[in-house]
Amino acid sequence: MSGITGWVDRGRDLTHEGPTAAAMTARSVRGGHGDRQWSSPHALLGHSADAMTPAGAQPAVAEEHGRPIAAITFDGVLYNAAQLRSALASDGRTRPPATDAEVVLDGYLRWGFAVAERLEGLFAFAVWDVRTSELVLCRDRFGVKPLSYLPLPDGALFASEVAALSAHPLVGDELDAEGLCSILAQVRRPGHAVLRGLREVRPAHLVRLRPEGVSEHRYWSLEARPHTEDLASTIETTRGLLGEAIAREAGASPAAVLLSGGLDSSALTGLVAERAGAGPRTFTVSFGDSAATVPDRPFAQAVVERLDCDHREVLVDPVTLTDPLTLDAVLAAKDFPSPFGDKNLTPYLFYRQVAAHTPMVLSGEAADAVFGGLISDQERSSTEHRTFPWIERARAFGLANGIGNDLFDRDLLRDVGFADFCAERYQEAQQEVPHLPGAPADDRRAREIDHLHMTRLYEQAVNHSERLGAAAGLQVRFPFSDHRLFDYLYNVPWRMKSFDGRDKSLLRTIARDLLPASVLDRPKVPFPITYHAGYKQSLADRLRQLLEDVDAPVRPLLDLPRSWQVVNDPRQLDRGGWLGRADTEMVLQLDGWLRTRRIRPAL
């Protein structure tokens, strides 16, 4: 959860540009345990360390005959660092790489760009190769760790966060029509960031910025293969892969788990306890008994008692959800606006308290996508699919333009081409889905939905937790997002994933002997939201203040009569449960983002 930044310019002497690069690193909300720089005439690398990074370890530099030949700034953790060290030791080197950053750097010098496919873990890194004047950027297979960049005529700027890039004077903060559509749809064109001109390193990709140009290389992808195992063998293989993933994520230290009391986090807790021979430390968030329609506490407590966990219930006071400092901190952590409101605020406050007890926790997020828990019978059997499943679900509640967009001016959405943008992104995503020739229709649709969620909706779940954790000083890891596990389950037929007529049948079976029946049979519920009257009233009050401010940057984008209806009748915030609030949350976050970042709409 470090922050990485850098500036490469082959045509400019950067010797005296340290303050500019330092400003980029200082803008990062990731890390917070000391900033360091490495500089050369044509490259500046920055690193903001987290609590688990050895002091002074980064940026790391490799030398030959007393001169630097390559440098790296690295964010993340490698699960196979020991194996890579052993492989690197075979070249007779006298100093084995001490840190994960040094392992990647030495691996790059030994294997070149093929190092990426050898790495197991969550990571983003930048290598400056002094020998070839080449910048190499890379992200992990599912893009859990963020990394964006701006190509320059003779180099590039890069950073974990777009906000850090924006601290550089060469970056222009313009939001064009495509950027606005990306925010409202919560889906971006692959490889593109929200602001004009900025790019993202795609998950499972390595980007080479050489003097002769920029090129992208994919080092891993899902493959469609026939599934040859019977049900019993499938369950056994799945359990083995999940156990291996947990072992890799947990490492040698005693694991701590975020426990909601739902199937995913409870199964993870049970498997961690089984591996360790004792109940792990667990943490549950609570606002009190009114937090959700189905309170988490009784289910989490049943798991704690069954497994004898060292448990802490973390109380988030709903009043803190309206604190302006909290609102600003969460918006900065996410790096772009979203309609999720207290679904982001609560985890941030929760993680901040958990970080006082442990530097790292395991999370059960991604299990829905991996185990097929996001596919309803209606979605699987339907033959009419025009857009992403989550947008279709929103339309079922009367939200024609998806979650969080009902207060924006309809003419504006038409003028920026929002509908066409969503259709293009959906068609683009569909074309990426690998299928088996002749596969049954329900298997094809199940593969498609799983792939869409892991490659397009992932950012709203796993990635938002990683970023909020990083800002709160907590390293959050996700065993269910293991690429070997997902690659295997992606090819398991739908009838096996729901062999007992329920969602996530395989996971329930694996956890059957570990968990209470009440948890195994618990209906799926979303992350708890607060029903505190003060929070809903604060949304209406903040929206009123925005509408009364004629200089509010988001105001020209709104359907003003419709927005005033919400202010005058706050009961509309309850429309569709949480979905009515999402409309107001998106407006408030977009306005705050435009203000604090001084972004210029160019629509």
Side-chain angles (χ1 to χ4, degrees):
M1 62 183 194
S2 304
I4 64 176
T5 56
W7 180 9
V8 166
D9 198 322
R10 303 177 193 87
R12 184 191 303 257
D13 184 353
L14 301 182
T15 304
H16 302 293
E17 297 292 349
T20 301
M24 294 172 61
T25 306
R27 182 74 69 88
S28 175
V29 300
R30 304 171 66 83
H33 287 262
D35 299 342
R36 286 175 58 88
Q37 281 189 16
W38 175 83
S39 63
S40 71
H42 298 296
L44 292 168
L45 305 186
H47 185 267
S48 178
D50 64 16
M52 300 180 75
T53 301
Q58 290 201 57
V61 183
E63 295 184 343
E64 200 171 78
H65 307 302
R67 294 187 175 184
I69 57 173
I72 186 172
T73 180
F74 173 90
D75 172 27
V77 58
L78 296 181
Y79 305 141
N80 64 333
Q83 297 93 313
L84 292 173
R85 286 191 184 95
S86 297
L88 289 166
S90 65
D91 68 356
R93 57 183 297 122
T94 57
R95 179 193 61 81
T99 65
D100 287 358
E102 290 177 347
V103 168
V104 177
L105 183 58
D106 288 3
Y108 168 78
L109 294 173
R110 173 80 176 274
W111 301 304
F113 314 111
V115 67
E117 59 197 56
R118 293 173 177 259
L119 304 179
E120 304 283 349
L122 308 178
F123 55 84
F125 65 83
V127 170
W128 170 244
D129 193 326
V130 179
R131 304 164 303 176
T132 60
S133 292
E134 180 172 357
L135 177 66
V136 179
L137 306 176
C138 188
R139 285 176 80 192
D140 60 70
R141 288 167 178 79
F142 291 122
V144 175
K145 296 295 182 178
L147 185 55
S148 298
Y149 66 101
L150 174 67
L152 299 175
D154 214 0
L157 298 165
F158 66 87
S160 299
E161 297 146 281
V162 173
L165 280 175
S166 298
H168 196 285
L170 293 179
V171 177
D173 285 346
E174 287 190 351
L175 179 70
D176 58 15
E178 179 174 322
L180 178 62
C181 289
S182 298
I183 291 173
L184 299 184
Q186 296 292 299
V187 175
R188 293 189 285 281
R189 186 153 51 109
H192 289 253
V194 168
L195 296 180
R196 175 178 285 173
L198 297 190
R199 303 276 298 176
E200 288 182 339
V201 179
R202 298 180 64 182
H205 277 69
L206 180 145
V207 178
R208 300 175 61 187
L209 295 104
R210 297 173 288 176
E212 56 267 35
V214 181
S215 59
E216 290 185 313
H217 305 268
R218 178 185 285 274
Y219 64 86
W220 177 83
S221 61
L222 282 170
E223 296 180 0
R225 297 184 300 273
H227 186 73
T228 58
E229 295 181 329
D230 61 16
L231 179 59
S233 297
T234 298
I235 294 170
E236 181 179 357
T237 300
T238 302
R239 186 182 186 111
L241 289 170
L242 185 51
E244 292 170 5
I246 291 171
R248 281 192 292 270
E249 298 276 1
S253 59
V257 184
L258 301 176
L259 174 63
S260 71
L263 173 63
D264 305 341
S265 65
S266 299
L268 176 59
T269 304
L271 290 166
V272 169
E274 183 180 57
R275 172 178 175 266
R281 285 178 294 172
T282 50
F283 299 89
T284 298
V285 66
S286 175
F287 311 96
D289 290 335
S290 64
T293 306
V294 182
D296 285 335
R297 180 184 294 137
F299 299 96
Q301 193 59 42
V303 174
V304 168
E305 293 174 358
R306 173 72 174 265
L307 301 176
D308 193 24
C309 299
D310 176 12
H311 186 63
R312 290 175 177 83
E313 185 174 285
V314 177
L315 180 65
V316 172
D317 185 346
V319 173
T320 61
L321 299 175
T322 62
D323 183 344
L325 294 180
T326 301
L327 297 172
D328 289 346
V330 169
L331 184 56
K334 287 296 294 291
D335 211 21
F336 60 88
S338 75
F340 302 111
D342 62 316
K343 286 176 176 286
N344 289 165
L345 297 166
T346 299
Y348 171 75
L349 295 169
F350 177 40
Y351 296 161
R352 200 165 61 179
Q353 295 191 58
V354 172
H357 300 280
T358 179
M360 185 270 289
V361 293
L362 304 183
S363 167
E365 287 189 281
D368 273 330
V370 172
F371 282 93
L374 294 167
I375 309 172
S376 68
D377 288 339
Q378 180 179 359
E379 287 173 330
R380 183 171 52 85
S381 59
S382 173
T383 58
E384 293 292 328
H385 311 293
R386 297 186 178 88
T387 189
F388 296 100
W390 50 95
I391 294 180
E392 288 183 343
R393 292 170 201 147
R395 288 175 176 172
F397 286 93
L399 306 177
N401 295 301
I403 297 173
N405 301 328
D406 200 45
L407 299 186
F408 289 91
D409 184 80
R410 298 296 188 275
D411 291 338
L412 168 76
L413 296 180
R414 183 198 62 229
D415 292 343
V416 299
F418 181 68
D420 290 341
F421 175 88
C422 292
E424 289 168 5
R425 301 289 79 77
Y426 180 56
Q427 183 179 26
E428 193 172 63
Q430 278 188 310
Q431 291 172 351
E432 293 180 10
V433 181
H435 288 293
L436 280 176
D442 58 351
D443 274 349
R444 289 182 62 85
R445 182 55 177 164
R447 282 179 189 271
E448 182 177 287
I449 292 178
D450 284 349
H451 197 276
L452 292 175
H453 280 93
M454 286 299 287
T455 61
R456 298 305 193 275
L457 193 68
Y458 199 69
E459 190 167 62
Q460 298 178 24
V462 171
N463 291 9
H464 99 249
S465 291
E466 191 280 337
R467 285 147 180 73
L468 294 170
L474 182 68
Q475 193 173 110
V476 186
R477 300 183 184 175
F478 311 94
F480 289 116
S481 67
D482 181 84
H483 71 94
R484 290 189 182 92
L485 178 66
F486 185 53
D487 186 65
Y488 176 77
L489 289 173
Y490 182 74
N491 289 293
V492 172
W494 174 251
R495 64 182 181 280
M496 282 192 178
K497 290 184 178 179
S498 59
F499 68 85
D500 60 359
R502 304 184 65 183
D503 65 331
K504 295 187 283 192
S505 302
L506 296 175
L507 184 59
R508 291 178 195 279
T509 301
I510 291 169
R512 182 178 296 155
D513 297 332
L514 303 173
L515 302 178
S518 60
V519 175
L520 290 170
D521 296 332
R522 182 187 181 187
K524 180 177 175 57
V525 295
F527 191 89
I529 64 172
T530 180
Y531 290 91
H532 192 272
Y535 181 73
K536 290 194 291 183
Q537 186 59 50
S538 76
L539 290 179
D541 292 343
R542 290 166 59 204
L543 182 59
R544 178 187 295 276
Q545 293 171 10
L546 185 155
L547 295 176
E548 291 174 344
D549 180 2
V550 295
D551 295 322
V554 80
R555 195 174 183 273
L557 311 182
L558 302 182
D559 180 336
L560 294 177
R562 175 77 186 91
S563 300
W564 276 110
Q565 288 177 14
V566 175
V567 170
N568 295 325
D569 183 11
R571 291 176 300 177
Q572 295 192 45
L573 293 170
D574 297 321
R575 182 168 59 96
W578 165 81
L579 293 175
R581 285 161 48 165
D583 295 330
T584 299
E585 302 274 19
M586 176 59 97
V587 168
L588 295 173
Q589 283 215 12
L590 181 56
D591 188 73
W593 185 68
L594 294 171
R595 285 177 188 267
T596 59
R597 296 277 297 280
R598 298 181 180 178
I599 292 169
R600 303 181 300 277
L603 305 176

